[in-house]
Amino acid sequence: MDAQRSVRNGETNGISATAGPEGHHFDANLTSQVIGATGPKANPRLASILPNLTRHLHDFMRESEITSQELMAAFDLLAWAGRMTDDKRHEVLLVGDVFGLEPLADDITYTLAADRSTIPTVLGPFWRANAPLRSMGDTIVFGIESGDHTYMHGRIVDAQTGGPINNAELDIWETAPNGKYEQQDPDQIDMNLRGRFRTGEDGSYNLYCLRPTTYAIPQDGPAGKLLQLLDRHPMRPAHIHCIVTAAGYKRLTTELFDRRDKHVYDDAVFAVKEDLIVDFVPKVGDPKAHFDLEYNFKLARQTS
Amino acid sequence: MDAQRSVRNGETNGISATAGPEGHHFDANLTSQVIGATGPKANPRLASILPNLTRHLHDFMRESEITSQELMAAFDLLAWAGRMTDDKRHEVLLVGDVFGLEPLADDITYTLAADRSTIPTVLGPFWRANAPLRSMGDTIVFGIESGDHTYMHGRIVDAQTGGPINNAELDIWETAPNGKYEQQDPDQIDMNLRGRFRTGEDGSYNLYCLRPTTYAIPQDGPAGKLLQLLDRHPMRPAHIHCIVTAAGYKRLTTELFDRRDKHVYDDAVFAVKEDLIVDFVPKVGDPKAHFDLEYNFKLARQTS
């Protein structure tokens, strides 16, 4: 405690203090107190990352001279995000996406795995568990006559062998042409534009969906507030969300992006990867679809 | 996007990539994308701290190789904290306290102000607005016969001149001897052990309260979960919370700590400052109090 007082008075006495941009000296002793408080029976992974996390958070606060009032504003914003988060919308995740945290974690996870699966990208806040299980060839579109109806098809294969995966599940979801997911839109039926499809022995899938629509991420919460304060646009390039799972394989969470979308290289949440940009090809001879989308998903085997 | 792929394949081509501890190369381009997205009409303060915040968060994630699953666990923990946060308990703030963020911000704020006021410390999650306004000499203790009843008194003065402050308000709150604040304890009346007192021209105050009790921070939420995972104790040294306000002066949020408490140099949330450690002196001749506590609060004038 005496060390803290000395630092505060500018008499560092050999105590390591961090200087702010104006040369102010703040309490560096606090960082080692927090790091040193971890006990011997701590969770090993949490104990291993805590020192680095604490140092980065404290260094950021000292370097940017974050005041109590500013910290409280950040806490209030996170509390607001937490209160908005439920099984229909993960607003905390969306706040993280404003800072690119989710795509970065995806990149780290993918790089560490080094398993040549389809590249993952962000889950986003609108996935819902237990979407209806549908039959191959079914549509996920209900009550929408307009829109670019699309025949989507392809195979789900083993990333190593290229062989088909039997009983793989493709869980897809997308917005309506008005840019809204069904849970945001009282005019859509429950679970509209969502569906789960299971492959047979040939690993193939086919279904009807919509060519997706560019849309703004929700602006009625803290993520929208942050974008506004940062003078950033809220638009996401048009995309179809996919989660692909199969017994013995790692879960793949990804999105397919429409190459012709004007935001395809300017995504509000930084989720686009080149390998996930696809072409919607005009389709003739199918009264149920204007476009054709072929995409093959590669799953990596579970290791442990 | 091509740059991202190159980085992922280890062909950096002059793109700055951050190596993890095992020499993995992760997408460093993402960091500049996030930083570069800020628009020209952004809030100046947020725009000025965003690059540093983004770099620290991203560097932490790359250096500690945070996976998607781990990031999601962190988001879920924050959402849990947000859902628990209401006007009776600020659990997000308590999660921040596990990492010492609040005392650090207090130190930064105090150092920058350089105004010789009483040193501030953490607000904690249990302050409530609109505690009852009481008369000088009143007690804040109701329905508690046991406990070390204390006569607390002193002056609220101008930090520069030392002169008394008229119509200053002291808002204090503390736990019962069972270690619980009234909102945590159905056996206490609403607003027990809370009160607001306003000074007269001489700046003095006096009231009856309890010598405080050491207690554990709540362990039914994410902050408690983190302490458990880090194998840390949840104890706070006994303290009385105070907020002191007066027209024309900066708000002071602080705590007074009992020197004899065994956790006084081992606070679960790192909030103790030497200048806030006080002595409870045995008191004779007052049938209403066993101890005497004298403390003078110094307020700094508002600058702007």
Side-chain angles (χ1 to χ4, degrees), chain A residues 41 43 45 58 63-64 68 70 99 106 229 231, chain B residues 41 43 45 58 64 68 70 99 106 229 231:
Chain A
K41 293 175 190 160
N43 171 286
R45 175 63 175 152
H58 287 202
E63 290 159 7
S64 290
S68 304
E70 290 170 340
F99 299 95
D106 290 340
L229 285 171
D231 188 25
Chain B
K41 292 175 190 159
N43 172 285
R45 174 63 175 153
H58 286 203
S64 290
S68 305
E70 290 170 339
F99 299 95
D106 290 341
L229 285 170
D231 187 24

mmCIF file with all atom_site columns, all heavy atoms in Angstrom, chain A residues 41 43 45 58 63-64 68 70 99 106 229 231, chain B residues 41 43 45 58 64 68 70 99 106 229 231:
data_model
loop_
_atom_site.group_PDB
_atom_site.id
_atom_site.type_symbol
_atom_site.label_atom_id
_atom_site.label_alt_id
_atom_site.label_comp_id
_atom_site.label_asym_id
_atom_site.label_entity_id
_atom_site.label_seq_id
_atom_site.pdbx_PDB_ins_code
_atom_site.Cartn_x
_atom_site.Cartn_y
_atom_site.Cartn_z
_atom_site.occupancy
_atom_site.B_iso_or_equiv
_atom_site.pdbx_formal_charge
_atom_site.auth_seq_id
_atom_site.auth_comp_id
_atom_site.auth_asym_id
_atom_site.auth_atom_id
_atom_site.pdbx_PDB_model_num
ATOM 1   N N   . LYS A 1 41  ? -4.715  -23.997 -6.993  1.00 0.00 ? 41  LYS A N   1
ATOM 2   C CA  . LYS A 1 41  ? -5.670  -24.973 -7.542  1.00 0.00 ? 41  LYS A CA  1
ATOM 3   C C   . LYS A 1 41  ? -6.541  -24.352 -8.631  1.00 0.00 ? 41  LYS A C   1
ATOM 4   O O   . LYS A 1 41  ? -7.644  -24.840 -8.911  1.00 0.00 ? 41  LYS A O   1
ATOM 5   C CB  . LYS A 1 41  ? -6.556  -25.513 -6.420  1.00 0.00 ? 41  LYS A CB  1
ATOM 6   C CG  . LYS A 1 41  ? -5.792  -26.364 -5.417  1.00 0.00 ? 41  LYS A CG  1
ATOM 7   C CD  . LYS A 1 41  ? -6.693  -26.763 -4.257  1.00 0.00 ? 41  LYS A CD  1
ATOM 8   C CE  . LYS A 1 41  ? -5.889  -27.412 -3.139  1.00 0.00 ? 41  LYS A CE  1
ATOM 9   N NZ  . LYS A 1 41  ? -6.622  -27.378 -1.862  1.00 0.00 ? 41  LYS A NZ  1
ATOM 10  N N   . ASN A 1 43  ? -8.041  -23.241 -12.259 1.00 0.00 ? 43  ASN A N   1
ATOM 11  C CA  . ASN A 1 43  ? -8.204  -23.871 -13.569 1.00 0.00 ? 43  ASN A CA  1
ATOM 12  C C   . ASN A 1 43  ? -6.962  -23.546 -14.403 1.00 0.00 ? 43  ASN A C   1
ATOM 13  O O   . ASN A 1 43  ? -6.615  -22.371 -14.574 1.00 0.00 ? 43  ASN A O   1
ATOM 14  C CB  . ASN A 1 43  ? -9.472  -23.296 -14.225 1.00 0.00 ? 43  ASN A CB  1
ATOM 15  C CG  . ASN A 1 43  ? -9.631  -23.716 -15.667 1.00 0.00 ? 43  ASN A CG  1
ATOM 16  O OD1 . ASN A 1 43  ? -8.918  -23.224 -16.541 1.00 0.00 ? 43  ASN A OD1 1
ATOM 17  N ND2 . ASN A 1 43  ? -10.548 -24.607 -15.924 1.00 0.00 ? 43  ASN A ND2 1
ATOM 18  N N   . ARG A 1 45  ? -6.032  -23.517 -17.603 1.00 0.00 ? 45  ARG A N   1
ATOM 19  C CA  . ARG A 1 45  ? -6.110  -22.647 -18.781 1.00 0.00 ? 45  ARG A CA  1
ATOM 20  C C   . ARG A 1 45  ? -6.395  -21.202 -18.361 1.00 0.00 ? 45  ARG A C   1
ATOM 21  O O   . ARG A 1 45  ? -5.751  -20.278 -18.850 1.00 0.00 ? 45  ARG A O   1
ATOM 22  C CB  . ARG A 1 45  ? -7.197  -23.177 -19.728 1.00 0.00 ? 45  ARG A CB  1
ATOM 23  C CG  . ARG A 1 45  ? -7.480  -22.296 -20.937 1.00 0.00 ? 45  ARG A CG  1
ATOM 24  C CD  . ARG A 1 45  ? -6.302  -22.138 -21.888 1.00 0.00 ? 45  ARG A CD  1
ATOM 25  N NE  . ARG A 1 45  ? -6.667  -21.397 -23.080 1.00 0.00 ? 45  ARG A NE  1
ATOM 26  C CZ  . ARG A 1 45  ? -5.823  -20.669 -23.802 1.00 0.00 ? 45  ARG A CZ  1
ATOM 27  N NH1 . ARG A 1 45  ? -4.542  -20.592 -23.480 1.00 0.00 ? 45  ARG A NH1 1
ATOM 28  N NH2 . ARG A 1 45  ? -6.241  -20.044 -24.883 1.00 0.00 ? 45  ARG A NH2 1
ATOM 29  N N   . HIS A 1 58  ? -4.961  -3.670  -18.209 1.00 0.00 ? 58  HIS A N   1
ATOM 30  C CA  . HIS A 1 58  ? -4.407  -2.583  -17.390 1.00 0.00 ? 58  HIS A CA  1
ATOM 31  C C   . HIS A 1 58  ? -3.566  -1.628  -18.242 1.00 0.00 ? 58  HIS A C   1
ATOM 32  O O   . HIS A 1 58  ? -3.657  -0.405  -18.076 1.00 0.00 ? 58  HIS A O   1
ATOM 33  C CB  . HIS A 1 58  ? -3.574  -3.153  -16.237 1.00 0.00 ? 58  HIS A CB  1
ATOM 34  C CG  . HIS A 1 58  ? -4.402  -3.772  -15.139 1.00 0.00 ? 58  HIS A CG  1
ATOM 35  N ND1 . HIS A 1 58  ? -3.941  -3.933  -13.860 1.00 0.00 ? 58  HIS A ND1 1
ATOM 36  C CD2 . HIS A 1 58  ? -5.667  -4.258  -15.130 1.00 0.00 ? 58  HIS A CD2 1
ATOM 37  C CE1 . HIS A 1 58  ? -4.883  -4.497  -13.114 1.00 0.00 ? 58  HIS A CE1 1
ATOM 38  N NE2 . HIS A 1 58  ? -5.939  -4.711  -13.866 1.00 0.00 ? 58  HIS A NE2 1
ATOM 39  N N   . GLU A 1 63  ? -2.571  3.518   -20.558 1.00 0.00 ? 63  GLU A N   1
ATOM 40  C CA  . GLU A 1 63  ? -2.122  4.257   -21.747 1.00 0.00 ? 63  GLU A CA  1
ATOM 41  C C   . GLU A 1 63  ? -3.202  5.212   -22.252 1.00 0.00 ? 63  GLU A C   1
ATOM 42  O O   . GLU A 1 63  ? -2.920  6.320   -22.688 1.00 0.00 ? 63  GLU A O   1
ATOM 43  C CB  . GLU A 1 63  ? -1.730  3.278   -22.856 1.00 0.00 ? 63  GLU A CB  1
ATOM 44  C CG  . GLU A 1 63  ? -0.451  2.507   -22.557 1.00 0.00 ? 63  GLU A CG  1
ATOM 45  C CD  . GLU A 1 63  ? -0.344  1.216   -23.361 1.00 0.00 ? 63  GLU A CD  1
ATOM 46  O OE1 . GLU A 1 63  ? -1.200  0.976   -24.251 1.00 0.00 ? 63  GLU A OE1 1
ATOM 47  O OE2 . GLU A 1 63  ? 0.582   0.442   -23.085 1.00 0.00 ? 63  GLU A OE2 1
ATOM 48  N N   . SER A 1 64  ? -4.467  4.741   -22.207 1.00 0.00 ? 64  SER A N   1
ATOM 49  C CA  . SER A 1 64  ? -5.554  5.595   -22.709 1.00 0.00 ? 64  SER A CA  1
ATOM 50  C C   . SER A 1 64  ? -6.202  6.405   -21.593 1.00 0.00 ? 64  SER A C   1
ATOM 51  O O   . SER A 1 64  ? -7.177  7.109   -21.838 1.00 0.00 ? 64  SER A O   1
ATOM 52  C CB  . SER A 1 64  ? -6.597  4.732   -23.424 1.00 0.00 ? 64  SER A CB  1
ATOM 53  O OG  . SER A 1 64  ? -6.079  4.229   -24.638 1.00 0.00 ? 64  SER A OG  1
ATOM 54  N N   . SER A 1 68  ? -12.769 6.586   -14.078 1.00 0.00 ? 68  SER A N   1
ATOM 55  C CA  . SER A 1 68  ? -13.836 5.800   -13.432 1.00 0.00 ? 68  SER A CA  1
ATOM 56  C C   . SER A 1 68  ? -15.161 5.969   -14.166 1.00 0.00 ? 68  SER A C   1
ATOM 57  O O   . SER A 1 68  ? -15.910 5.005   -14.351 1.00 0.00 ? 68  SER A O   1
ATOM 58  C CB  . SER A 1 68  ? -14.009 6.251   -11.983 1.00 0.00 ? 68  SER A CB  1
ATOM 59  O OG  . SER A 1 68  ? -12.794 6.149   -11.285 1.00 0.00 ? 68  SER A OG  1
ATOM 60  N N   . GLU A 1 70  ? -15.635 6.685   -17.313 1.00 0.00 ? 70  GLU A N   1
ATOM 61  C CA  . GLU A 1 70  ? -15.606 5.972   -18.597 1.00 0.00 ? 70  GLU A CA  1
ATOM 62  C C   . GLU A 1 70  ? -15.720 4.460   -18.390 1.00 0.00 ? 70  GLU A C   1
ATOM 63  O O   . GLU A 1 70  ? -16.404 3.763   -19.144 1.00 0.00 ? 70  GLU A O   1
ATOM 64  C CB  . GLU A 1 70  ? -14.322 6.318   -19.354 1.00 0.00 ? 70  GLU A CB  1
ATOM 65  C CG  . GLU A 1 70  ? -14.327 7.753   -19.851 1.00 0.00 ? 70  GLU A CG  1
ATOM 66  C CD  . GLU A 1 70  ? -12.992 8.221   -20.405 1.00 0.00 ? 70  GLU A CD  1
ATOM 67  O OE1 . GLU A 1 70  ? -11.945 7.607   -20.084 1.00 0.00 ? 70  GLU A OE1 1
ATOM 68  O OE2 . GLU A 1 70  ? -12.990 9.206   -21.164 1.00 0.00 ? 70  GLU A OE2 1
ATOM 69  N N   . PHE A 1 99  ? -15.707 -5.055  -32.530 1.00 0.00 ? 99  PHE A N   1
ATOM 70  C CA  . PHE A 1 99  ? -14.253 -5.007  -32.372 1.00 0.00 ? 99  PHE A CA  1
ATOM 71  C C   . PHE A 1 99  ? -13.549 -6.157  -33.111 1.00 0.00 ? 99  PHE A C   1
ATOM 72  O O   . PHE A 1 99  ? -12.351 -6.354  -32.938 1.00 0.00 ? 99  PHE A O   1
ATOM 73  C CB  . PHE A 1 99  ? -13.888 -5.052  -30.885 1.00 0.00 ? 99  PHE A CB  1
ATOM 74  C CG  . PHE A 1 99  ? -14.436 -3.890  -30.108 1.00 0.00 ? 99  PHE A CG  1
ATOM 75  C CD1 . PHE A 1 99  ? -15.636 -3.991  -29.429 1.00 0.00 ? 99  PHE A CD1 1
ATOM 76  C CD2 . PHE A 1 99  ? -13.767 -2.671  -30.109 1.00 0.00 ? 99  PHE A CD2 1
ATOM 77  C CE1 . PHE A 1 99  ? -16.161 -2.911  -28.733 1.00 0.00 ? 99  PHE A CE1 1
ATOM 78  C CE2 . PHE A 1 99  ? -14.282 -1.585  -29.414 1.00 0.00 ? 99  PHE A CE2 1
ATOM 79  C CZ  . PHE A 1 99  ? -15.473 -1.706  -28.722 1.00 0.00 ? 99  PHE A CZ  1
ATOM 80  N N   . ASP A 1 106 ? -12.078 -17.039 -34.582 1.00 0.00 ? 106 ASP A N   1
ATOM 81  C CA  . ASP A 1 106 ? -12.276 -18.047 -35.627 1.00 0.00 ? 106 ASP A CA  1
ATOM 82  C C   . ASP A 1 106 ? -10.977 -18.306 -36.384 1.00 0.00 ? 106 ASP A C   1
ATOM 83  O O   . ASP A 1 106 ? -10.630 -19.457 -36.684 1.00 0.00 ? 106 ASP A O   1
ATOM 84  C CB  . ASP A 1 106 ? -13.343 -17.581 -36.627 1.00 0.00 ? 106 ASP A CB  1
ATOM 85  C CG  . ASP A 1 106 ? -14.735 -17.567 -36.032 1.00 0.00 ? 106 ASP A CG  1
ATOM 86  O OD1 . ASP A 1 106 ? -14.956 -18.242 -35.010 1.00 0.00 ? 106 ASP A OD1 1
ATOM 87  O OD2 . ASP A 1 106 ? -15.604 -16.876 -36.594 1.00 0.00 ? 106 ASP A OD2 1
ATOM 88  N N   . LEU A 1 229 ? -21.574 5.764   -32.546 1.00 0.00 ? 229 LEU A N   1
ATOM 89  C CA  . LEU A 1 229 ? -20.549 6.608   -31.914 1.00 0.00 ? 229 LEU A CA  1
ATOM 90  C C   . LEU A 1 229 ? -19.246 6.585   -32.709 1.00 0.00 ? 229 LEU A C   1
ATOM 91  O O   . LEU A 1 229 ? -18.467 7.532   -32.679 1.00 0.00 ? 229 LEU A O   1
ATOM 92  C CB  . LEU A 1 229 ? -20.279 6.130   -30.481 1.00 0.00 ? 229 LEU A CB  1
ATOM 93  C CG  . LEU A 1 229 ? -21.354 6.474   -29.453 1.00 0.00 ? 229 LEU A CG  1
ATOM 94  C CD1 . LEU A 1 229 ? -21.076 5.758   -28.132 1.00 0.00 ? 229 LEU A CD1 1
ATOM 95  C CD2 . LEU A 1 229 ? -21.413 7.994   -29.230 1.00 0.00 ? 229 LEU A CD2 1
ATOM 96  N N   . ASP A 1 231 ? -19.157 6.306   -35.950 1.00 0.00 ? 231 ASP A N   1
ATOM 97  C CA  . ASP A 1 231 ? -19.458 6.746   -37.312 1.00 0.00 ? 231 ASP A CA  1
ATOM 98  C C   . ASP A 1 231 ? -19.155 5.631   -38.318 1.00 0.00 ? 231 ASP A C   1
ATOM 99  O O   . ASP A 1 231 ? -18.482 5.839   -39.318 1.00 0.00 ? 231 ASP A O   1
ATOM 100 C CB  . ASP A 1 231 ? -18.662 8.035   -37.641 1.00 0.00 ? 231 ASP A CB  1
ATOM 101 C CG  . ASP A 1 231 ? -19.076 8.649   -38.973 1.00 0.00 ? 231 ASP A CG  1
ATOM 102 O OD1 . ASP A 1 231 ? -20.215 8.420   -39.416 1.00 0.00 ? 231 ASP A OD1 1
ATOM 103 O OD2 . ASP A 1 231 ? -18.234 9.344   -39.586 1.00 0.00 ? 231 ASP A OD2 1
ATOM 104 N N   . LYS B 1 41  ? -16.829 11.266  -38.417 1.00 0.00 ? 41  LYS B N   1
ATOM 105 C CA  . LYS B 1 41  ? -17.703 11.973  -37.474 1.00 0.00 ? 41  LYS B CA  1
ATOM 106 C C   . LYS B 1 41  ? -17.839 11.212  -36.158 1.00 0.00 ? 41  LYS B C   1
ATOM 107 O O   . LYS B 1 41  ? -18.807 11.400  -35.413 1.00 0.00 ? 41  LYS B O   1
ATOM 108 C CB  . LYS B 1 41  ? -19.084 12.179  -38.093 1.00 0.00 ? 41  LYS B CB  1
ATOM 109 C CG  . LYS B 1 41  ? -19.071 13.156  -39.263 1.00 0.00 ? 41  LYS B CG  1
ATOM 110 C CD  . LYS B 1 41  ? -20.446 13.247  -39.923 1.00 0.00 ? 41  LYS B CD  1
ATOM 111 C CE  . LYS B 1 41  ? -20.386 14.018  -41.220 1.00 0.00 ? 41  LYS B CE  1
ATOM 112 N NZ  . LYS B 1 41  ? -21.539 13.710  -42.088 1.00 0.00 ? 41  LYS B NZ  1
ATOM 113 N N   . ASN B 1 43  ? -17.350 9.930   -32.320 1.00 0.00 ? 43  ASN B N   1
ATOM 114 C CA  . ASN B 1 43  ? -17.125 10.574  -31.022 1.00 0.00 ? 43  ASN B CA  1
ATOM 115 C C   . ASN B 1 43  ? -15.618 10.663  -30.788 1.00 0.00 ? 43  ASN B C   1
ATOM 116 O O   . ASN B 1 43  ? -14.913 9.647   -30.849 1.00 0.00 ? 43  ASN B O   1
ATOM 117 C CB  . ASN B 1 43  ? -17.794 9.704   -29.945 1.00 0.00 ? 43  ASN B CB  1
ATOM 118 C CG  . ASN B 1 43  ? -17.463 10.160  -28.540 1.00 0.00 ? 43  ASN B CG  1
ATOM 119 O OD1 . ASN B 1 43  ? -16.352 9.936   -28.054 1.00 0.00 ? 43  ASN B OD1 1
ATOM 120 N ND2 . ASN B 1 43  ? -18.402 10.790  -27.885 1.00 0.00 ? 43  ASN B ND2 1
ATOM 121 N N   . ARG B 1 45  ? -13.487 11.082  -28.273 1.00 0.00 ? 45  ARG B N   1
ATOM 122 C CA  . ARG B 1 45  ? -12.829 10.296  -27.219 1.00 0.00 ? 45  ARG B CA  1
ATOM 123 C C   . ARG B 1 45  ? -12.847 8.802   -27.567 1.00 0.00 ? 45  ARG B C   1
ATOM 124 O O   . ARG B 1 45  ? -11.836 8.120   -27.449 1.00 0.00 ? 45  ARG B O   1
ATOM 125 C CB  . ARG B 1 45  ? -13.528 10.555  -25.879 1.00 0.00 ? 45  ARG B CB  1
ATOM 126 C CG  . ARG B 1 45  ? -13.035 9.697   -24.719 1.00 0.00 ? 45  ARG B CG  1
ATOM 127 C CD  . ARG B 1 45  ? -11.584 9.940   -24.360 1.00 0.00 ? 45  ARG B CD  1
ATOM 128 N NE  . ARG B 1 45  ? -11.204 9.186   -23.171 1.00 0.00 ? 45  ARG B NE  1
ATOM 129 C CZ  . ARG B 1 45  ? -9.974  8.783   -22.895 1.00 0.00 ? 45  ARG B CZ  1
ATOM 130 N NH1 . ARG B 1 45  ? -8.963  9.068   -23.716 1.00 0.00 ? 45  ARG B NH1 1
ATOM 131 N NH2 . ARG B 1 45  ? -9.726  8.113   -21.797 1.00 0.00 ? 45  ARG B NH2 1
ATOM 132 N N   . HIS B 1 58  ? -6.834  -7.650  -29.375 1.00 0.00 ? 58  HIS B N   1
ATOM 133 C CA  . HIS B 1 58  ? -6.390  -8.585  -30.417 1.00 0.00 ? 58  HIS B CA  1
ATOM 134 C C   . HIS B 1 58  ? -5.046  -9.223  -30.038 1.00 0.00 ? 58  HIS B C   1
ATOM 135 O O   . HIS B 1 58  ? -4.844  -10.423 -30.244 1.00 0.00 ? 58  HIS B O   1
ATOM 136 C CB  . HIS B 1 58  ? -6.290  -7.870  -31.761 1.00 0.00 ? 58  HIS B CB  1
ATOM 137 C CG  . HIS B 1 58  ? -7.624  -7.570  -32.387 1.00 0.00 ? 58  HIS B CG  1
ATOM 138 N ND1 . HIS B 1 58  ? -7.785  -7.365  -33.733 1.00 0.00 ? 58  HIS B ND1 1
ATOM 139 C CD2 . HIS B 1 58  ? -8.867  -7.450  -31.850 1.00 0.00 ? 58  HIS B CD2 1
ATOM 140 C CE1 . HIS B 1 58  ? -9.065  -7.123  -34.010 1.00 0.00 ? 58  HIS B CE1 1
ATOM 141 N NE2 . HIS B 1 58  ? -9.732  -7.164  -32.874 1.00 0.00 ? 58  HIS B NE2 1
ATOM 142 N N   . SER B 1 64  ? -2.429  -15.346 -26.475 1.00 0.00 ? 64  SER B N   1
ATOM 143 C CA  . SER B 1 64  ? -2.939  -16.429 -25.615 1.00 0.00 ? 64  SER B CA  1
ATOM 144 C C   . SER B 1 64  ? -3.731  -17.465 -26.404 1.00 0.00 ? 64  SER B C   1
ATOM 145 O O   . SER B 1 64  ? -4.289  -18.392 -25.825 1.00 0.00 ? 64  SER B O   1
ATOM 146 C CB  . SER B 1 64  ? -3.792  -15.837 -24.483 1.00 0.00 ? 64  SER B CB  1
ATOM 147 O OG  . SER B 1 64  ? -2.982  -15.139 -23.560 1.00 0.00 ? 64  SER B OG  1
ATOM 148 N N   . SER B 1 68  ? -12.477 -19.882 -30.575 1.00 0.00 ? 68  SER B N   1
ATOM 149 C CA  . SER B 1 68  ? -13.878 -19.466 -30.681 1.00 0.00 ? 68  SER B CA  1
ATOM 150 C C   . SER B 1 68  ? -14.681 -19.941 -29.472 1.00 0.00 ? 68  SER B C   1
ATOM 151 O O   . SER B 1 68  ? -15.529 -19.220 -28.944 1.00 0.00 ? 68  SER B O   1
ATOM 152 C CB  . SER B 1 68  ? -14.507 -20.035 -31.954 1.00 0.00 ? 68  SER B CB  1
ATOM 153 O OG  . SER B 1 68  ? -13.754 -19.664 -33.078 1.00 0.00 ? 68  SER B OG  1
ATOM 154 N N   . GLU B 1 70  ? -13.617 -20.578 -26.457 1.00 0.00 ? 70  GLU B N   1
ATOM 155 C CA  . GLU B 1 70  ? -13.257 -19.815 -25.256 1.00 0.00 ? 70  GLU B CA  1
ATOM 156 C C   . GLU B 1 70  ? -13.866 -18.412 -25.300 1.00 0.00 ? 70  GLU B C   1
ATOM 157 O O   . GLU B 1 70  ? -14.354 -17.897 -24.287 1.00 0.00 ? 70  GLU B O   1
ATOM 158 C CB  . GLU B 1 70  ? -11.735 -19.744 -25.112 1.00 0.00 ? 70  GLU B CB  1
ATOM 159 C CG  . GLU B 1 70  ? -11.150 -21.095 -24.742 1.00 0.00 ? 70  GLU B CG  1
ATOM 160 C CD  . GLU B 1 70  ? -9.625  -21.138 -24.815 1.00 0.00 ? 70  GLU B CD  1
ATOM 161 O OE1 . GLU B 1 70  ? -9.023  -20.292 -25.507 1.00 0.00 ? 70  GLU B OE1 1
ATOM 162 O OE2 . GLU B 1 70  ? -9.051  -22.038 -24.186 1.00 0.00 ? 70  GLU B OE2 1
ATOM 163 N N   . PHE B 1 99  ? -10.673 -8.409  -11.850 1.00 0.00 ? 99  PHE B N   1
ATOM 164 C CA  . PHE B 1 99  ? -9.452  -8.072  -12.593 1.00 0.00 ? 99  PHE B CA  1
ATOM 165 C C   . PHE B 1 99  ? -8.853  -6.731  -12.149 1.00 0.00 ? 99  PHE B C   1
ATOM 166 O O   . PHE B 1 99  ? -7.929  -6.225  -12.790 1.00 0.00 ? 99  PHE B O   1
ATOM 167 C CB  . PHE B 1 99  ? -9.754  -8.022  -14.100 1.00 0.00 ? 99  PHE B CB  1
ATOM 168 C CG  . PHE B 1 99  ? -10.233 -9.330  -14.651 1.00 0.00 ? 99  PHE B CG  1
ATOM 169 C CD1 . PHE B 1 99  ? -11.587 -9.595  -14.779 1.00 0.00 ? 99  PHE B CD1 1
ATOM 170 C CD2 . PHE B 1 99  ? -9.327  -10.324 -14.994 1.00 0.00 ? 99  PHE B CD2 1
ATOM 171 C CE1 . PHE B 1 99  ? -12.039 -10.813 -15.265 1.00 0.00 ? 99  PHE B CE1 1
ATOM 172 C CE2 . PHE B 1 99  ? -9.765  -11.546 -15.474 1.00 0.00 ? 99  PHE B CE2 1
ATOM 173 C CZ  . PHE B 1 99  ? -11.119 -11.789 -15.609 1.00 0.00 ? 99  PHE B CZ  1
ATOM 174 N N   . ASP B 1 106 ? -9.996  4.214   -10.763 1.00 0.00 ? 106 ASP B N   1
ATOM 175 C CA  . ASP B 1 106 ? -10.028 5.193   -9.669  1.00 0.00 ? 106 ASP B CA  1
ATOM 176 C C   . ASP B 1 106 ? -8.657  5.848   -9.501  1.00 0.00 ? 106 ASP B C   1
ATOM 177 O O   . ASP B 1 106 ? -8.548  7.062   -9.312  1.00 0.00 ? 106 ASP B O   1
ATOM 178 C CB  . ASP B 1 106 ? -10.412 4.513   -8.348  1.00 0.00 ? 106 ASP B CB  1
ATOM 179 C CG  . ASP B 1 106 ? -11.863 4.080   -8.326  1.00 0.00 ? 106 ASP B CG  1
ATOM 180 O OD1 . ASP B 1 106 ? -12.658 4.598   -9.133  1.00 0.00 ? 106 ASP B OD1 1
ATOM 181 O OD2 . ASP B 1 106 ? -12.200 3.209   -7.501  1.00 0.00 ? 106 ASP B OD2 1
ATOM 182 N N   . LEU B 1 229 ? -12.766 -20.385 -10.058 1.00 0.00 ? 229 LEU B N   1
ATOM 183 C CA  . LEU B 1 229 ? -11.898 -20.959 -11.098 1.00 0.00 ? 229 LEU B CA  1
ATOM 184 C C   . LEU B 1 229 ? -10.445 -20.524 -10.911 1.00 0.00 ? 229 LEU B C   1
ATOM 185 O O   . LEU B 1 229 ? -9.521  -21.236 -11.312 1.00 0.00 ? 229 LEU B O   1
ATOM 186 C CB  . LEU B 1 229 ? -12.372 -20.521 -12.487 1.00 0.00 ? 229 LEU B CB  1
ATOM 187 C CG  . LEU B 1 229 ? -13.638 -21.206 -13.008 1.00 0.00 ? 229 LEU B CG  1
ATOM 188 C CD1 . LEU B 1 229 ? -14.138 -20.519 -14.270 1.00 0.00 ? 229 LEU B CD1 1
ATOM 189 C CD2 . LEU B 1 229 ? -13.365 -22.691 -13.283 1.00 0.00 ? 229 LEU B CD2 1
ATOM 190 N N   . ASP B 1 231 ? -9.129  -20.027 -7.980  1.00 0.00 ? 231 ASP B N   1
ATOM 191 C CA  . ASP B 1 231 ? -8.708  -20.462 -6.637  1.00 0.00 ? 231 ASP B CA  1
ATOM 192 C C   . ASP B 1 231 ? -8.342  -19.243 -5.784  1.00 0.00 ? 231 ASP B C   1
ATOM 193 O O   . ASP B 1 231 ? -7.286  -19.198 -5.157  1.00 0.00 ? 231 ASP B O   1
ATOM 194 C CB  . ASP B 1 231 ? -7.525  -21.451 -6.744  1.00 0.00 ? 231 ASP B CB  1
ATOM 195 C CG  . ASP B 1 231 ? -7.164  -22.069 -5.389  1.00 0.00 ? 231 ASP B CG  1
ATOM 196 O OD1 . ASP B 1 231 ? -8.041  -22.121 -4.508  1.00 0.00 ? 231 ASP B OD1 1
ATOM 197 O OD2 . ASP B 1 231 ? -5.991  -22.476 -5.223  1.00 0.00 ? 231 ASP B OD2 1
#
